[in-house]
Amino acid sequence: MENRKATRLSIAKQTAQLFPILHFLFFILFFSAGCGAPGDPVPPSPPVPVAITDLAARQLGDGVLLSFTLPANSVSGNRLPEPPAVEILRGTGGRDGTPDPKSFRVVDTIPSALVTGYVTQKRMEFIDVLSPQGPGASPSATFVYRVRTRTSRKRASADSNSVLVQVFPVPQKIALVETQVTESAIELSWAAPATTSAGATLSAPLTYHVYRAEVDPASLKAAVERQSLLEYKSTLVLLATSNTARYQDTAFEFGKSYLYVIRSVINTNGLPLESDDSQHVTVTPRDTFPPAAPQGLVVALLPGATPGSFAAELSWSISLETDLAGYRVYRSEQENMLGQLLTADLLLAPAYHDTSVEAGHRYWYTVTAVDRAGNESVPGVPVAIDVTEPSP
């Protein structure tokens, strides 16, 4: 019994001596395991686009047209996965002409998904529309613009360069543009505005800028049916400057579709300032204009290829129509009747040889001209001929 008690006491004593050592080892293993275990995955930081450095701005009607190149890379040099969203900042200038840093406010934001719709010839263009009562209430107003981009809400690029724009009152935009298609021109006319967009009376003389773009005909039809945007086949370009409230566009082609925009122009401090766009008008000119009737028809009776037969030889003056396709010849045995078409195909030359005449008949010949659109002229002056045996 004494040996067993001694053994139990010895074991208890050894256990008591080992407990602090085991506790210390467990403590070390616990913290070592905690430090070495991987934590929750950390998402990568969104890229920050490089700052825009080529911002340009100018007044356009009652607004300011901003243009710049969208950044393609981040500040770390990596390619941006998609176009960034764009923020437009507008501020005012101090008395010394420098921008007031505290005046800048975000006046518009273009989401990433819509950015590419503003890109023209690799540059983004955006119009900051201003109230006419703002610039119109004083001789001029000065604004300062900056832009910045972002790929996330929390991190934006640095601000772009600052651009100062002095904004002046411009003429009221033209409300209605009337069009008329003639054979040689598309005629445009409009009423001259008498006031600025803010309602002040205009005293300076006006000129007008006529802009034109070629429009896809299918897009034109879809735009009318669905009230959707037009697809341009060419960009809107300045076609001409007019000193009067009308213009004739002679550089057009039948069958093509055109969009026209008119802007009034006033000179302020030696600089031409345009109004906002007029009503947009589209025109698809159709060639419904027949050529002029052929002139100078002459008919001669000649002997035929066989004895006792005859032939009528026709000739007339060549037509000067630029879109002439050919001629048609008609014959009738009754006066004032167009009669039978003798030429199944269009004649390319102003002459015809009729071998189907018969002796003892009187024939009236008429010639018409046809253009490439299929328009046929009115008949020329008819000429009669009697087919009779020659006198002995």
Side-chain angles (χ1 to χ4, degrees):
M1 292 294 294
E2 292 179 359
N3 290 336
R4 291 180 179 177
K5 290 181 179 179
T7 302
R8 292 194 187 105
L9 290 173
S10 176
I11 293 172
K13 186 176 181 180
Q14 292 176 3
T15 303
Q17 291 174 348
L18 289 173
F19 182 79
I21 298 173
L22 293 173
H23 184 272
F24 178 75
L25 292 174
F26 176 80
F27 182 84
I28 292 175
L29 290 172
F30 176 82
F31 279 95
S32 298
C35 293
D40 294 333
V42 178
S45 299
V48 178
V50 296
I52 292 168
T53 59
D54 62 348
L55 174 64
R58 65 179 179 87
Q59 182 177 355
L60 181 61
D62 284 315
V64 175
L65 174 64
L66 307 175
S67 64
F68 50 91
T69 304
L70 278 172
N73 298 326
S74 67
V75 292
S76 60
N78 296 323
R79 189 85 175 172
L80 294 176
E82 60 183 4
V86 177
E87 293 178 347
I88 310 297
L89 294 88
R90 184 176 67 215
T92 57
R95 293 183 178 180
D96 59 353
T98 58
D100 180 4
K102 297 181 180 180
S103 68
F104 283 94
R105 299 290 184 274
V106 175
V107 295
D108 220 316
T109 300
I110 306 170
S112 172
L114 303 179
V115 161
T116 54
Y118 292 85
V119 176
T120 301
Q121 296 180 349
K122 298 182 179 182
R123 284 183 67 84
M124 184 164 179
E125 294 186 346
F126 177 83
I127 299 177
D128 178 30
V129 179
L130 304 171
S131 170
Q133 280 66 32
S138 60
S140 67
T142 301
F143 298 100
V144 188
Y145 286 91
R146 294 173 181 171
V147 293
R148 65 188 177 209
T149 61
R150 62 172 68 239
T151 58
S152 69
R153 292 183 179 181
K154 295 183 178 180
R155 306 189 71 183
S157 71
D159 289 350
S160 71
N161 56 303
S162 299
V163 180
L164 279 74
V165 181
Q166 196 171 12
V167 179
F168 298 91
V170 295
Q172 177 67 38
K173 70 177 183 179
I174 296 167
L176 178 64
V177 179
E178 296 182 345
T179 62
Q180 181 179 359
V181 178
T182 67
E183 187 175 4
S184 58
I186 298 175
E187 298 181 354
L188 309 172
S189 60
W190 57 91
T195 64
T196 67
S197 56
T201 302
L202 286 170
S203 57
L206 296 177
T207 56
Y208 305 94
H209 284 170
V210 180
Y211 290 86
R212 188 185 77 175
E214 188 178 343
V215 181
D216 179 67
S219 173
L220 177 59
K221 182 179 180 181
V224 173
E225 294 176 350
R226 307 175 189 173
Q227 296 183 350
S228 59
L229 296 176
L230 292 176
E231 178 182 342
Y232 290 5
K233 294 183 71 174
S234 64
T235 57
L236 196 66
V237 296
L238 178 61
L239 182 64
T241 299
S242 175
N243 294 321
T244 62
R246 59 189 311 109
Y247 178 72
Q248 292 185 340
D249 178 13
T250 58
F252 75 98
E253 294 182 35
F254 286 113
K256 291 187 176 181
S257 297
Y258 301 98
L259 179 140
Y260 293 93
V261 170
I262 314 296
R263 296 175 187 163
S264 303
V265 184
I266 188 172
N267 277 304
T268 301
N269 294 343
L271 297 175
L273 294 178
E274 295 182 327
S275 70
D276 284 331
D277 288 355
S278 70
Q279 167 206 21
H280 290 199
V281 292
T282 54
V283 182
T284 304
R286 303 296 183 189
D287 186 359
T288 60
F289 306 97
Q295 303 292 321
L297 175 61
V298 175
V299 183
L301 186 63
L302 301 176
T306 60
S309 64
F310 300 90
E313 187 73 22
L314 287 71
S315 63
W316 55 92
S317 300
I318 189 170
S319 177
L320 299 179
E321 301 287 340
T322 57
D323 61 343
L324 181 72
Y327 305 95
R328 289 173 179 160
V329 176
Y330 296 85
R331 187 184 72 187
S332 175
E333 294 189 48
Q334 296 182 21
E335 190 175 5
N336 299 324
M337 294 288 292
L338 190 61
Q340 173 190 3
L341 175 64
L342 298 180
T343 52
D345 298 324
L346 292 177
L347 297 174
L348 301 181
Y352 181 69
H353 192 70
D354 182 11
T355 60
S356 63
V357 297
E358 297 179 359
H361 290 259
R362 169 175 283 189
Y363 299 102
W364 279 267
Y365 288 95
T366 305
V367 181
T368 63
V370 181
D371 65 17
R372 287 193 291 268
N375 299 306
E376 186 174 11
S377 73
V378 298
V381 177
V383 174
I385 187 172
D386 292 320
V387 183
T388 58
E389 291 285 352
S391 302

